[in-house]
Amino acid sequence: MRHDLRHDLRHDHGSRRVLRFSLSFAFILAAATPDVAAQEGADGYQVPAAELAALVDAPATPGISLSPDESVMLLTMRPSLPSIAEVAAPELRIAGLRINPRTNGPSRARPSNGLALRTLDGEERAVTGLPENPRIRNTRWSPNGSTVAFTHDTDSAVQMWVLDVASAEARRLSDLDMANVGFGAPFNWSPEGDFLYAMAVPPGRGPAPAEPMVPTAPMIEETSGEAAPARTYQDLLQDQHDEALYEYYSTAQLARVGLDGSAAMVGDPSIFSGASPSPDGEYLLVQTTHRPYSYQVPASRFPRTIEVWDAQGNVVHGVAELPLQDGVPTSFGSVPTGVRSIAWRADADATLYWTEAQDGGDALAEADIRDRVFTHAAPFSREPVAIAALPLRYGGVMWAEEGFAFVSENWFSTRQQRTYRIDPDAPGEMELIFDLQTEDRYNNPGFPMFTTNERGRGVLMTADGGSSIYLAGQGASPEGNRPFLRKRNLETGEEEELFRSEAPYYEGVVTLLGDGRLMTRRESVDEPPNYFVRDLGRGTTSAVTEFPHPYPQFAGIRKEAIQYERGDGIPLSATLYLPADYDQERDGPLPTFVWAYPTEFKSAAAAGQRRDSPYQFTRIPYGGAVPYVTRGYAVLDNASMPVIGEGDAEPNDTFRQQLVANAQAAIDEGVRRGVVDPDRVGVGGHSYGAFMTGNLLAHSDIFRAGVARSGAYNRTLTPFGFQREQRLFWEDPDLYLYMSPFMHADKVNEPILIIHGEDDNNSGTFPIQSRRFYAALKGLGATARLVFLPAESHGYAARESVLHVLWETDRWLEMHVKPAKPVTTTDDAGS
């Protein structure tokens, strides 16, 4: 049913790894009855009811970015969903990367299609000079705030453009095309903002390597007997031709590009994973990837060379040679050995900092010190200096201009996080500032706020000569999230609350502007998020943006944050949505759709903490269950699904029982409120939520149907751990069997709709997971439907695909949930 694939691949840069080809049908469907493709939908993509389609085409709210001096806001306009033709463009999938071979840029990019500038008093200027049909990515302010650099994707290249802020005029900066597709933005600003270091396609590069028509060597891999566990990565190298293609598309030439468009080449072409200038502009921290490659891990784990170059591209200091990282233990908290997380100190002219594991990188090894943090100042003639010794795993450094820094550490198994204050130039004692449990949201002190220093780098925002900092947080509480801003004295530990969100709004702090003014992002149940300047002294608030309601036709939908308890007393929550015209006395209990995602906890107290706000905007995202409130359903969205394992117990030891208890509690609360018909409830989820859905249908009879999207159902196919499970299959095979819906497919006696992206690249959720689960259900006589979406990854991007998923889900609920009749409920969760 496919035309000559080899011809297509040769035509499109000669690689069998370009996984795009025309299909004789728009998507693959299978039903549980005759052994043929399902008839409904077999002739093309379907469009759902008008109210569902309207959500897909609702205007997107622009993104924003503040200038370094926080005086100007850059607005990036977001287009509607791309077509399937765009999503199905040629794609090369190698070394864990996804590359558009026509542009040498990343595939599946979601570019913006317009720019605007707005001052904080609300004056907006349109940007002129943009290319026709702009496809804008990688917007970055220059350190001095005079210019914004960005890339524009054409059909054949990634171009470099700049926006002059004073004139609001954009122009193409250079004739060079950008490369370096797999490692972030393809350029970095100089400290003065007068030029950029760009990753360009090497001038004069020839055509891509052609795939040999005849194999030149066998495929060989060998292990020496040392353990090299790896989680289930996708899109890996497969042969020598893949290696050649990886090198061709990933090799870049570092170029110094002035604002006048002039370009000077710096060093030799290489596969760069980073090239950042020092704050004083005298040096470059350069990281390059080289052979030997691996067919078991992605490019991010290939061998790397870390060097310091001068501005002309000469190597002045060799920092480290890092080997292939294919033997990192899979336990959480395990890391590669050697230099990692290296960068320039934000508060110094040219000083490197990094961390190195002291326990062999193995989280299961006994060690008093897990990591040490080092600094090394230019001209790098002296030995590096250890500035911190951490009992837990390194979590990052925050630098301050006043001669101190915060160093954080964390540990997964205990959910502990600690932050210390140190003097990096006089290493010695570490003063404990914060000691918290990452699961404990109610006692989270917030995160330090940052400002931009004269070097154009982010540093801690301080007050009172460096003795105080500012902390912004979500303000989680039993009443819901109430964001705050506090000032904390580092000497006394005393805190002053400067701002806290008040009903009927949910208002979070964006930045502290000075003179007692804040920029905030405010929303309410009926008002979409917009940006404001709040004067704390005067008590006034002025609007900076006025983004409209994206779907005013649905503004009457009723939303309520609800709380309830599980059978064992664990507090739970969900967001309840009811149709705009719903009248409880007239309409009675409604058919219901529950949408959820399991979360593991080591503390029952933390699991019961609230994670929402009753005052946030009523969003109706098209990806979950909320849209179906427009079709007459009650929706329990983000229903709590905690899986708890305190002490020596692990959460997954009782995974199934806890899922069923959580789900039953949500339904019981809806029934108690008189809005949920317990005989007409469906359940759904995406990814781990799909895994949850399979388990709930297999181990309870409380749902009438399920919708499972992009899930994994057989945990033996992810034998080196999954989600937050650290135990390997060989350590506890019974656990893997116990948790796998595939192993219990014979118990799934409710209809299940299985949807999957044909090109899913998420670790663990291979498309074969859905194929095999469906095959098991089909063979056992279950009612099931399998939908494969061509060209889609773990999330669905094409407009046609999203509309079709809405149609499939609506159809499934209308067939199997809305008209359902009462059944006798049983529960075999303990089996």
Side-chain angles (χ1 to χ4, degrees), residues 655-656 691 694-695 698-699 712-718 722 733-745 769 773:
F655 180 84
R656 288 169 13 191
F691 174 68
N695 269 299
H699 302 295
Y713 310 100
N714 183 349
R715 284 304 168 194
T716 68
L717 298 180
T718 55
F722 56 90
D734 290 343
L735 175 73
Y736 280 66
L737 301 180
Y738 159 83
M739 292 186 67
S740 296
F742 177 85
M743 307 302 176
H744 306 277
Q769 289 271 8
F773 188 39

mmCIF file of all heavy atoms in Angstrom, residues 655-656 691 694-695 698-699 712-718 722 733-745 769 773:
data_model
loop_
_atom_site.group_PDB
_atom_site.id
_atom_site.type_symbol
_atom_site.label_atom_id
_atom_site.label_comp_id
_atom_site.label_asym_id
_atom_site.label_seq_id
_atom_site.Cartn_x
_atom_site.Cartn_y
_atom_site.Cartn_z
ATOM 1 N N PHE A 655 -0.050 0.142 43.749
ATOM 2 C CA PHE A 655 -0.452 1.068 42.687
ATOM 3 C C PHE A 655 -1.911 0.869 42.282
ATOM 4 O O PHE A 655 -2.700 1.821 42.241
ATOM 5 C CB PHE A 655 0.471 0.863 41.479
ATOM 6 C CG PHE A 655 0.183 1.746 40.302
ATOM 7 C CD1 PHE A 655 0.693 3.034 40.246
ATOM 8 C CD2 PHE A 655 -0.570 1.283 39.237
ATOM 9 C CE1 PHE A 655 0.437 3.847 39.152
ATOM 10 C CE2 PHE A 655 -0.819 2.086 38.140
ATOM 11 C CZ PHE A 655 -0.316 3.373 38.100
ATOM 12 N N ARG A 656 -2.289 -0.348 41.975
ATOM 13 C CA ARG A 656 -3.635 -0.612 41.463
ATOM 14 C C ARG A 656 -4.701 -0.263 42.496
ATOM 15 O O ARG A 656 -5.699 0.398 42.182
ATOM 16 C CB ARG A 656 -3.768 -2.078 41.053
ATOM 17 C CG ARG A 656 -3.008 -2.396 39.789
ATOM 18 C CD ARG A 656 -2.865 -3.859 39.459
ATOM 19 N NE ARG A 656 -3.681 -4.815 40.183
ATOM 20 C CZ ARG A 656 -3.494 -6.130 40.122
ATOM 21 N NH1 ARG A 656 -2.515 -6.624 39.376
ATOM 22 N NH2 ARG A 656 -4.275 -6.954 40.781
ATOM 23 N N PHE A 691 -1.821 4.804 30.802
ATOM 24 C CA PHE A 691 -1.441 3.625 31.586
ATOM 25 C C PHE A 691 -2.403 3.462 32.757
ATOM 26 O O PHE A 691 -2.881 2.351 33.047
ATOM 27 C CB PHE A 691 -0.006 3.824 32.058
ATOM 28 C CG PHE A 691 0.522 2.790 33.004
ATOM 29 C CD1 PHE A 691 0.752 1.500 32.588
ATOM 30 C CD2 PHE A 691 0.820 3.133 34.319
ATOM 31 C CE1 PHE A 691 1.271 0.539 33.466
ATOM 32 C CE2 PHE A 691 1.336 2.194 35.196
ATOM 33 C CZ PHE A 691 1.562 0.893 34.774
ATOM 34 N N GLY A 694 -5.833 2.114 31.467
ATOM 35 C CA GLY A 694 -5.825 0.671 31.259
ATOM 36 C C GLY A 694 -5.948 -0.104 32.550
ATOM 37 O O GLY A 694 -6.669 -1.108 32.631
ATOM 38 N N ASN A 695 -5.242 0.367 33.582
ATOM 39 C CA ASN A 695 -5.307 -0.320 34.876
ATOM 40 C C ASN A 695 -6.678 -0.191 35.524
ATOM 41 O O ASN A 695 -7.194 -1.145 36.117
ATOM 42 C CB ASN A 695 -4.225 0.239 35.808
ATOM 43 C CG ASN A 695 -2.927 -0.527 35.724
ATOM 44 O OD1 ASN A 695 -2.876 -1.724 36.019
ATOM 45 N ND2 ASN A 695 -1.865 0.141 35.292
ATOM 46 N N ALA A 698 -9.043 -2.532 33.904
ATOM 47 C CA ALA A 698 -8.723 -3.934 34.184
ATOM 48 C C ALA A 698 -9.067 -4.335 35.611
ATOM 49 O O ALA A 698 -9.391 -5.494 35.866
ATOM 50 C CB ALA A 698 -7.240 -4.198 33.914
ATOM 51 N N HIS A 699 -8.991 -3.383 36.540
ATOM 52 C CA HIS A 699 -9.072 -3.754 37.945
ATOM 53 C C HIS A 699 -10.238 -3.126 38.695
ATOM 54 O O HIS A 699 -10.256 -3.117 39.928
ATOM 55 C CB HIS A 699 -7.757 -3.422 38.635
ATOM 56 C CG HIS A 699 -6.577 -4.103 38.008
ATOM 57 N ND1 HIS A 699 -6.421 -5.470 38.013
ATOM 58 C CD2 HIS A 699 -5.530 -3.607 37.302
ATOM 59 C CE1 HIS A 699 -5.322 -5.791 37.357
ATOM 60 N NE2 HIS A 699 -4.762 -4.684 36.909
ATOM 61 N N ALA A 712 1.791 3.504 27.615
ATOM 62 C CA ALA A 712 2.562 2.256 27.672
ATOM 63 C C ALA A 712 1.784 1.293 28.551
ATOM 64 O O ALA A 712 1.314 1.671 29.624
ATOM 65 C CB ALA A 712 3.951 2.510 28.236
ATOM 66 N N TYR A 713 1.679 0.055 28.120
ATOM 67 C CA TYR A 713 0.800 -0.894 28.807
ATOM 68 C C TYR A 713 1.506 -2.177 29.227
ATOM 69 O O TYR A 713 0.952 -2.962 29.982
ATOM 70 C CB TYR A 713 -0.396 -1.227 27.899
ATOM 71 C CG TYR A 713 -1.046 0.015 27.354
ATOM 72 C CD1 TYR A 713 -0.784 0.466 26.059
ATOM 73 C CD2 TYR A 713 -1.894 0.782 28.153
ATOM 74 C CE1 TYR A 713 -1.362 1.627 25.560
ATOM 75 C CE2 TYR A 713 -2.473 1.951 27.674
ATOM 76 C CZ TYR A 713 -2.198 2.371 26.381
ATOM 77 O OH TYR A 713 -2.763 3.535 25.908
ATOM 78 N N ASN A 714 2.722 -2.363 28.742
ATOM 79 C CA ASN A 714 3.493 -3.561 29.092
ATOM 80 C C ASN A 714 4.827 -3.104 29.663
ATOM 81 O O ASN A 714 5.723 -2.683 28.932
ATOM 82 C CB ASN A 714 3.704 -4.433 27.856
ATOM 83 C CG ASN A 714 4.438 -5.713 28.172
ATOM 84 O OD1 ASN A 714 4.984 -5.891 29.265
ATOM 85 N ND2 ASN A 714 4.482 -6.624 27.208
ATOM 86 N N ARG A 715 4.971 -3.152 30.968
ATOM 87 C CA ARG A 715 6.158 -2.612 31.619
ATOM 88 C C ARG A 715 7.387 -3.492 31.432
ATOM 89 O O ARG A 715 8.502 -3.054 31.719
ATOM 90 C CB ARG A 715 5.874 -2.386 33.109
ATOM 91 C CG ARG A 715 5.030 -1.154 33.362
ATOM 92 C CD ARG A 715 5.699 0.053 32.761
ATOM 93 N NE ARG A 715 4.838 1.225 32.703
ATOM 94 C CZ ARG A 715 5.106 2.304 31.997
ATOM 95 N NH1 ARG A 715 6.184 2.341 31.235
ATOM 96 N NH2 ARG A 715 4.306 3.337 32.003
ATOM 97 N N THR A 716 7.241 -4.686 30.957
ATOM 98 C CA THR A 716 8.432 -5.482 30.666
ATOM 99 C C THR A 716 9.176 -4.921 29.457
ATOM 100 O O THR A 716 10.338 -5.287 29.219
ATOM 101 C CB THR A 716 8.074 -6.956 30.411
ATOM 102 O OG1 THR A 716 7.337 -7.078 29.199
ATOM 103 C CG2 THR A 716 7.275 -7.534 31.567
ATOM 104 N N LEU A 717 8.534 -4.047 28.679
ATOM 105 C CA LEU A 717 9.206 -3.384 27.563
ATOM 106 C C LEU A 717 9.977 -2.147 28.017
ATOM 107 O O LEU A 717 10.650 -1.505 27.214
ATOM 108 C CB LEU A 717 8.186 -2.998 26.485
ATOM 109 C CG LEU A 717 7.422 -4.157 25.837
ATOM 110 C CD1 LEU A 717 6.450 -3.630 24.804
ATOM 111 C CD2 LEU A 717 8.392 -5.148 25.209
ATOM 112 N N THR A 718 9.867 -1.795 29.301
ATOM 113 C CA THR A 718 10.675 -0.711 29.886
ATOM 114 C C THR A 718 11.399 -1.278 31.112
ATOM 115 O O THR A 718 11.156 -0.856 32.242
ATOM 116 C CB THR A 718 9.785 0.485 30.280
ATOM 117 O OG1 THR A 718 8.737 0.039 31.166
ATOM 118 C CG2 THR A 718 9.158 1.120 29.051
ATOM 119 N N PHE A 722 10.713 2.993 34.985
ATOM 120 C CA PHE A 722 9.744 3.820 34.263
ATOM 121 C C PHE A 722 9.180 4.832 35.244
ATOM 122 O O PHE A 722 9.172 4.608 36.465
ATOM 123 C CB PHE A 722 8.625 2.959 33.668
ATOM 124 C CG PHE A 722 7.902 2.101 34.679
ATOM 125 C CD1 PHE A 722 6.787 2.575 35.356
ATOM 126 C CD2 PHE A 722 8.352 0.827 34.976
ATOM 127 C CE1 PHE A 722 6.134 1.797 36.297
ATOM 128 C CE2 PHE A 722 7.698 0.027 35.911
ATOM 129 C CZ PHE A 722 6.589 0.519 36.579
ATOM 130 N N PRO A 733 10.325 -8.755 39.113
ATOM 131 C CA PRO A 733 9.484 -9.021 37.938
ATOM 132 C C PRO A 733 8.002 -9.037 38.261
ATOM 133 O O PRO A 733 7.170 -8.655 37.427
ATOM 134 C CB PRO A 733 9.979 -10.382 37.440
ATOM 135 C CG PRO A 733 10.685 -10.998 38.612
ATOM 136 C CD PRO A 733 11.265 -9.855 39.381
ATOM 137 N N ASP A 734 7.656 -9.469 39.472
ATOM 138 C CA ASP A 734 6.235 -9.507 39.834
ATOM 139 C C ASP A 734 5.624 -8.113 39.824
ATOM 140 O O ASP A 734 4.448 -7.945 39.474
ATOM 141 C CB ASP A 734 6.057 -10.142 41.212
ATOM 142 C CG ASP A 734 6.346 -11.638 41.204
ATOM 143 O OD1 ASP A 734 6.357 -12.217 40.101
ATOM 144 O OD2 ASP A 734 6.576 -12.199 42.285
ATOM 145 N N LEU A 735 6.395 -7.110 40.216
ATOM 146 C CA LEU A 735 5.887 -5.742 40.211
ATOM 147 C C LEU A 735 5.554 -5.303 38.788
ATOM 148 O O LEU A 735 4.504 -4.705 38.535
ATOM 149 C CB LEU A 735 6.919 -4.790 40.818
ATOM 150 C CG LEU A 735 6.553 -3.303 40.753
ATOM 151 C CD1 LEU A 735 5.461 -2.988 41.752
ATOM 152 C CD2 LEU A 735 7.769 -2.429 40.993
ATOM 153 N N TYR A 736 6.444 -5.606 37.849
ATOM 154 C CA TYR A 736 6.222 -5.220 36.458
ATOM 155 C C TYR A 736 4.981 -5.910 35.889
ATOM 156 O O TYR A 736 4.222 -5.312 35.116
ATOM 157 C CB TYR A 736 7.454 -5.542 35.618
ATOM 158 C CG TYR A 736 8.557 -4.514 35.739
ATOM 159 C CD1 TYR A 736 9.247 -4.319 36.935
ATOM 160 C CD2 TYR A 736 8.919 -3.724 34.650
ATOM 161 C CE1 TYR A 736 10.250 -3.379 37.047
ATOM 162 C CE2 TYR A 736 9.935 -2.785 34.745
ATOM 163 C CZ TYR A 736 10.604 -2.609 35.954
ATOM 164 O OH TYR A 736 11.597 -1.671 36.060
ATOM 165 N N LEU A 737 4.766 -7.151 36.266
ATOM 166 C CA LEU A 737 3.581 -7.859 35.802
ATOM 167 C C LEU A 737 2.329 -7.318 36.477
ATOM 168 O O LEU A 737 1.279 -7.146 35.836
ATOM 169 C CB LEU A 737 3.726 -9.357 36.083
ATOM 170 C CG LEU A 737 4.933 -10.053 35.438
ATOM 171 C CD1 LEU A 737 4.943 -11.528 35.814
ATOM 172 C CD2 LEU A 737 4.928 -9.889 33.929
ATOM 173 N N TYR A 738 2.430 -7.045 37.761
ATOM 174 C CA TYR A 738 1.314 -6.514 38.550
ATOM 175 C C TYR A 738 0.822 -5.183 38.002
ATOM 176 O O TYR A 738 -0.389 -4.924 37.953
ATOM 177 C CB TYR A 738 1.790 -6.374 40.001
ATOM 178 C CG TYR A 738 1.011 -5.420 40.879
ATOM 179 C CD1 TYR A 738 -0.174 -5.825 41.498
ATOM 180 C CD2 TYR A 738 1.480 -4.125 41.105
ATOM 181 C CE1 TYR A 738 -0.868 -4.946 42.324
ATOM 182 C CE2 TYR A 738 0.791 -3.256 41.930
ATOM 183 C CZ TYR A 738 -0.381 -3.658 42.530
ATOM 184 O OH TYR A 738 -1.071 -2.798 43.341
ATOM 185 N N MET A 739 1.737 -4.335 37.524
ATOM 186 C CA MET A 739 1.376 -2.989 37.098
ATOM 187 C C MET A 739 1.005 -2.894 35.626
ATOM 188 O O MET A 739 0.532 -1.840 35.181
ATOM 189 C CB MET A 739 2.521 -2.014 37.390
ATOM 190 C CG MET A 739 2.772 -1.764 38.866
ATOM 191 S SD MET A 739 4.007 -0.481 39.150
ATOM 192 C CE MET A 739 3.164 0.978 38.533
ATOM 193 N N SER A 740 1.187 -3.933 34.847
ATOM 194 C CA SER A 740 1.001 -3.848 33.402
ATOM 195 C C SER A 740 -0.421 -4.210 32.992
ATOM 196 O O SER A 740 -0.832 -5.372 33.130
ATOM 197 C CB SER A 740 1.977 -4.789 32.691
ATOM 198 O OG SER A 740 3.316 -4.398 32.916
ATOM 199 N N PRO A 741 -1.185 -3.279 32.435
ATOM 200 C CA PRO A 741 -2.524 -3.628 31.935
ATOM 201 C C PRO A 741 -2.492 -4.739 30.893
ATOM 202 O O PRO A 741 -3.430 -5.532 30.802
ATOM 203 C CB PRO A 741 -3.023 -2.314 31.327
ATOM 204 C CG PRO A 741 -2.244 -1.248 32.013
ATOM 205 C CD PRO A 741 -0.903 -1.842 32.303
ATOM 206 N N PHE A 742 -1.412 -4.810 30.110
ATOM 207 C CA PHE A 742 -1.294 -5.863 29.101
ATOM 208 C C PHE A 742 -1.407 -7.240 29.740
ATOM 209 O O PHE A 742 -2.015 -8.152 29.167
ATOM 210 C CB PHE A 742 0.043 -5.711 28.370
ATOM 211 C CG PHE A 742 0.304 -6.787 27.355
ATOM 212 C CD1 PHE A 742 -0.202 -6.687 26.070
ATOM 213 C CD2 PHE A 742 1.056 -7.912 27.677
ATOM 214 C CE1 PHE A 742 0.030 -7.688 25.128
ATOM 215 C CE2 PHE A 742 1.292 -8.912 26.752
ATOM 216 C CZ PHE A 742 0.783 -8.793 25.470
ATOM 217 N N MET A 743 -0.815 -7.410 30.915
ATOM 218 C CA MET A 743 -0.834 -8.708 31.584
ATOM 219 C C MET A 743 -2.219 -9.041 32.137
ATOM 220 O O MET A 743 -2.473 -10.183 32.523
ATOM 221 C CB MET A 743 0.196 -8.731 32.719
ATOM 222 C CG MET A 743 1.597 -8.326 32.303
ATOM 223 S SD MET A 743 2.252 -9.370 30.987
ATOM 224 C CE MET A 743 3.829 -8.563 30.679
ATOM 225 N N HIS A 744 -3.093 -8.046 32.175
ATOM 226 C CA HIS A 744 -4.431 -8.257 32.731
ATOM 227 C C HIS A 744 -5.495 -7.860 31.710
ATOM 228 O O HIS A 744 -6.612 -7.485 32.075
ATOM 229 C CB HIS A 744 -4.589 -7.434 34.011
ATOM 230 C CG HIS A 744 -3.514 -7.708 35.019
ATOM 231 N ND1 HIS A 744 -3.548 -8.768 35.890
ATOM 232 C CD2 HIS A 744 -2.333 -7.065 35.257
ATOM 233 C CE1 HIS A 744 -2.443 -8.771 36.636
ATOM 234 N NE2 HIS A 744 -1.695 -7.745 36.274
ATOM 235 N N ALA A 745 -5.150 -7.953 30.431
ATOM 236 C CA ALA A 745 -6.083 -7.567 29.374
ATOM 237 C C ALA A 745 -7.361 -8.402 29.421
ATOM 238 O O ALA A 745 -8.420 -7.936 28.980
ATOM 239 C CB ALA A 745 -5.400 -7.697 28.017
ATOM 240 N N GLN A 769 3.523 -0.369 21.940
ATOM 241 C CA GLN A 769 2.784 -0.585 23.180
ATOM 242 C C GLN A 769 1.281 -0.629 22.908
ATOM 243 O O GLN A 769 0.565 -1.507 23.403
ATOM 244 C CB GLN A 769 3.117 0.535 24.180
ATOM 245 C CG GLN A 769 4.509 0.493 24.759
ATOM 246 C CD GLN A 769 4.580 -0.347 26.031
ATOM 247 O OE1 GLN A 769 3.631 -1.029 26.419
ATOM 248 N NE2 GLN A 769 5.729 -0.299 26.694
ATOM 249 N N PHE A 773 -1.192 -4.003 22.947
ATOM 250 C CA PHE A 773 -2.304 -3.995 23.895
ATOM 251 C C PHE A 773 -3.624 -4.211 23.147
ATOM 252 O O PHE A 773 -4.472 -5.007 23.559
ATOM 253 C CB PHE A 773 -2.323 -2.675 24.658
ATOM 254 C CG PHE A 773 -3.300 -2.618 25.806
ATOM 255 C CD1 PHE A 773 -3.503 -3.708 26.635
ATOM 256 C CD2 PHE A 773 -4.016 -1.456 26.063
ATOM 257 C CE1 PHE A 773 -4.400 -3.651 27.697
ATOM 258 C CE2 PHE A 773 -4.911 -1.381 27.113
ATOM 259 C CZ PHE A 773 -5.107 -2.490 27.943
#
